[in-house]
Amino acid sequence: RRGDRPPQQQDLQLQVPAKMANPKSVNNVKIVKKKNKKIKRWQSDRFMRVGESWRAPRGIDSRFRRRFKGTGPQVNIGYGSDKRTRHLLPSGFYKFTVSTPKDIELLLMHNRSYCAEIAHNVAKRKRKEILDRAEQLNIRVINGKAGFKEEEQ
């Protein structure tokens, strides 16, 4: 239970490391996006019940599915990103989701191209263990401060 330990002892045990690992990225390719504007779902501007997130048109007589003139853009493979920069973060790292301190070990040889992201469902104590291990192995953690209060940092 939470109330068993005095609050001072709790705070001392779960402090975030003062300095986090910050290795330089190997990837320095400029990220170029072909299209910044999101492609909206057909007729999402006409009906409130139709959301803007993309869905493929499936009607048997649909003008949009048959790609008639003036119906607007559709999602297709031509809008894809460059293979070298796909999934690349602006910092130059690729993201790797981590749930346990053991998962950090997988990034040991790849700390200049991959950074760790702690999963959303990891509790405070395990988060602290992951951050400590990442500091030892010089692995960048992009959401390292998440889940800790200001006075604990």
Side-chain angles (χ1 to χ4, degrees):
R1 289 178 36 217
R2 285 182 178 214
D4 289 349
R5 285 187 285 173
Q8 302 88 10
Q9 194 177 1
Q10 242 175 0
D11 291 344
L12 291 174
Q13 216 170 19
L14 297 172
Q15 285 183 344
V16 181
K19 182 184 168 286
M20 290 214 256
N22 197 12
K24 267 288 213 213
S25 170
V26 172
N27 304 317
N28 54 7
V29 184
K30 191 174 187 312
I31 300 170
V32 178
K33 302 282 185 189
K34 287 187 189 176
K35 187 174 180 73
N36 291 332
K37 197 174 175 196
K38 279 189 98 104
I39 299 175
K40 292 183 183 175
R41 185 176 174 184
W42 175 242
Q43 292 192 331
S44 65
D45 56 334
R46 293 188 62 190
F47 304 105
M48 289 293 288
R49 64 180 179 264
V50 179
E52 285 190 354
S53 65
W54 175 254
R55 300 286 190 282
R58 292 201 165 80
I60 55 170
D61 295 326
S62 171
R63 311 172 8 214
F64 190 61
R65 183 187 58 78
R66 294 190 286 168
R67 299 175 190 270
F68 281 20
K69 247 192 267 184
T71 52
Q74 282 196 39
V75 171
N76 62 47
I77 197 66
Y79 290 119
S81 297
D82 184 356
K83 193 184 277 188
R84 291 174 301 167
T85 61
R86 195 175 299 148
H87 307 298
L88 192 66
L89 299 173
S91 61
F93 287 95
Y94 293 102
K95 216 189 291 190
F96 182 78
T97 307
V98 170
S99 301
T100 65
K102 198 172 181 181
D103 291 346
I104 284 278
E105 312 287 330
L106 297 169
L107 299 178
L108 179 61
M109 301 298 290
H110 307 284
N111 67 338
R112 302 267 321 267
S113 53
Y114 282 86
C115 63
E117 180 187 43
I118 302 173
H120 76 282
N121 55 351
V122 177
K124 204 184 272 189
R125 187 176 66 207
K126 185 77 53 95
R127 234 171 235 279
K128 172 79 171 75
E129 292 171 22
I130 290 170
L131 287 171
D132 290 341
R133 191 66 183 133
E135 181 66 34
Q136 291 167 3
L137 301 177
N138 193 27
I139 294 168
R140 183 185 285 201
V141 179
I142 53 175
N143 61 346
K145 290 187 171 134
F148 293 97
K149 293 191 180 83
E150 280 298 316
E151 63 271 4
E152 292 176 8
Q153 292 179 11

